[in-house]
Amino acid sequence: MSAADLAGLAQEPDAVRRLGARRGRLGDTPVNRALAAELRDRPEEFGRAHALVLGADEIHLPQPSGPGGFPDALFVSGLECIDGFQRLVVIAEAAAVLGHVHLSRATVRLDIHCGRSREAMRRHFGGAEDRVNAATAQDGLIRCPNIRRLMESDWEREGSFEPWRGVSTGARTRRYAMPEVTRGLACLAAGAGPEAAHAVATDEGLDALWGSIGSALYLQVFPDRMSPLGVVRAVKAHRAARAALGRLPAKYGHGAGHLIAYAPDLVAREACRRLLPVADLHDERTRFDWHGVIERQLPREVERTAVDLVRRYAVVHEELGGKPRYAGEVDRLDVWQAILAEQ
């Protein structure tokens, strides 16, 4: 059916009671905002992903108006919304703004169940959340042209790059998963500031970056000229820097040394950039000895960089008020930027 023909089902304030839906109008949730935007901007796509599931006491299909024709109406009594009430609400709220003609461009699949099938659908959707793997931002990366180009590159000598959640089939000697690839590339991102490394320092930050395909920060981390060798270099450098931080003596961790514990990626990024030619990360023809420098020189540079940044942070910390607690302060982007600006 067209969305225009369904707009009246949830327009009244008592629609949730009348339709026996499991939930009322949830309002301005992220999902509802996305549904409303899709109905507004891409009505032809609005009904493709999910069907509206309704229950009914009885369905009556009238005789067609002519030989070989189809009936132009459907009579339903005892209507119930088993699944999709929020979509009905979005359609109802859009009707007054977008109009009948616009809504008629959205075709919605409608499943109506009676009798035993109705009861089965109630049971199914009553606990459907327990049987659905919710989509995440990482699941959308497969649609990014830069990621697809990297996947289709020659990884034969380097292992395999897999942007998906979970593990794919097939034996591989080395597998580069999306979180470590992202953090490695962010550590050596081309931008002058620490924004990329800071953005992916947490799992929440990873999701936010993955969900912003095409943004300026996203393209800093995942440029169109990525190469398998560049990814391997970035991951190895990030791994080596973080490992070196883990081996630092405990004496470095007191006072402003909390920087090492709370912002290790700031130290890793700065140490890598002091030694490695970031601009040539994805250049497979460069003669720079990436492997040798990462293996032999980077650990010592990490220690020197940690000492330097801890000293700078002590000054910044005092300028911020000299508060005794460091947690919640040192992981802020403005503090990262202040530390790097401090001489």
Side-chain angles (χ1 to χ4, degrees):
M1 297 183 66
S2 76
D5 295 330
L6 298 170
L9 289 180
Q11 283 181 327
E12 300 300 322
D14 66 342
V16 62
R17 182 184 299 274
R18 180 167 45 80
L19 293 175
R22 291 186 299 145
R23 294 178 293 198
R25 298 170 183 253
L26 297 182
D28 190 30
T29 65
V31 171
N32 286 356
R33 286 198 300 273
L35 287 170
E38 186 173 54
L39 183 57
R40 181 189 67 237
D41 301 332
R42 302 181 303 280
E44 296 83 1
E45 300 179 14
F46 178 77
R48 289 180 177 175
H50 302 284
L52 288 172
V53 182
L54 306 181
D57 295 339
E58 186 178 353
I59 302 173
H60 175 59
L61 195 65
Q63 291 296 320
S65 56
F70 294 93
D72 56 3
L74 187 67
F75 298 100
V76 183
S77 62
L79 195 62
E80 170 191 7
C81 182
I82 296 174
D83 185 65
F85 184 71
Q86 302 308 312
R87 277 167 280 157
L88 285 175
V89 168
V90 167
I91 292 171
E93 292 176 345
V97 178
L98 302 176
H100 185 280
V101 174
H102 184 92
L103 291 187
S104 66
R105 293 165 56 193
T107 301
V108 181
R109 175 182 162 186
L110 190 64
D111 293 348
I112 306 178
H113 298 264
C114 298
R116 291 182 178 178
S117 177
R118 181 182 187 178
E119 292 295 332
M121 288 298 102
R122 283 173 174 169
R123 290 193 300 272
H124 174 76
F125 284 100
E129 294 82 1
D130 298 334
R131 299 185 294 276
V132 175
N133 290 310
T136 69
Q138 186 175 352
D139 299 334
L141 291 173
I142 193 66
R143 305 295 179 221
C144 170
N146 293 355
I147 295 294
R148 291 198 65 84
R149 195 176 298 113
L150 182 62
M151 291 171 58
E152 293 162 1
S153 299
D154 180 12
W155 282 83
E156 183 177 353
R157 294 174 299 171
E158 309 301 341
S160 68
F161 163 61
E162 301 181 353
W164 308 280
R165 290 187 295 158
V167 180
S168 66
T169 57
R172 301 279 166 77
T173 54
R174 287 169 296 180
R175 174 179 174 268
Y176 295 96
M178 201 63 207
E180 69 172 353
V181 167
T182 303
R183 288 180 170 132
L185 289 174
C187 181
L188 274 69
E195 290 80 7
H198 178 269
V200 302
T202 64
D203 291 342
E204 293 79 10
L206 282 174
D207 284 338
L209 182 73
W210 292 338
S212 65
I213 293 174
S215 69
L217 192 62
Y218 180 93
L219 294 176
Q220 271 190 32
V221 180
F222 303 115
D224 59 5
R225 59 186 184 87
M226 286 186 293
S227 68
L229 184 56
V231 170
V232 172
R233 290 167 175 166
V235 170
K236 285 184 176 179
H238 184 252
R239 284 179 182 171
R242 290 295 302 265
L245 281 173
R247 295 192 297 268
L248 289 180
K251 66 179 181 179
Y252 289 131
H254 301 295
H258 284 85
L259 172 79
I260 298 170
Y262 292 130
D265 279 344
L266 170 62
V267 182
R269 174 191 179 275
E270 183 68 7
C272 287
R273 296 175 76 87
R274 290 181 178 185
L275 283 180
L276 304 172
V278 173
D280 297 334
L281 176 64
H282 295 288
D283 184 355
E284 298 184 353
R285 298 170 299 177
T286 179
R287 295 181 178 276
F288 184 81
D289 183 11
W290 287 82
H291 177 76
V293 172
I294 290 171
E295 187 175 81
R296 294 187 291 272
Q297 299 181 38
L298 185 58
R300 186 174 301 174
E301 185 60 43
V302 166
E303 183 173 3
R304 285 195 292 263
T305 301
V307 171
D308 179 35
L309 294 186
V310 167
R311 176 189 60 78
R312 298 188 192 190
Y313 177 45
V315 176
V316 171
H317 181 69
E318 289 299 320
E319 292 175 348
L320 291 171
K323 301 171 186 175
R325 296 183 61 183
Y326 297 89
E329 175 187 271
V330 73
D331 54 0
R332 286 165 29 195
L333 176 59
D334 63 325
V335 175
W336 280 34
Q337 292 168 329
I339 291 170
L340 292 178
E342 179 66 37
Q343 296 298 327

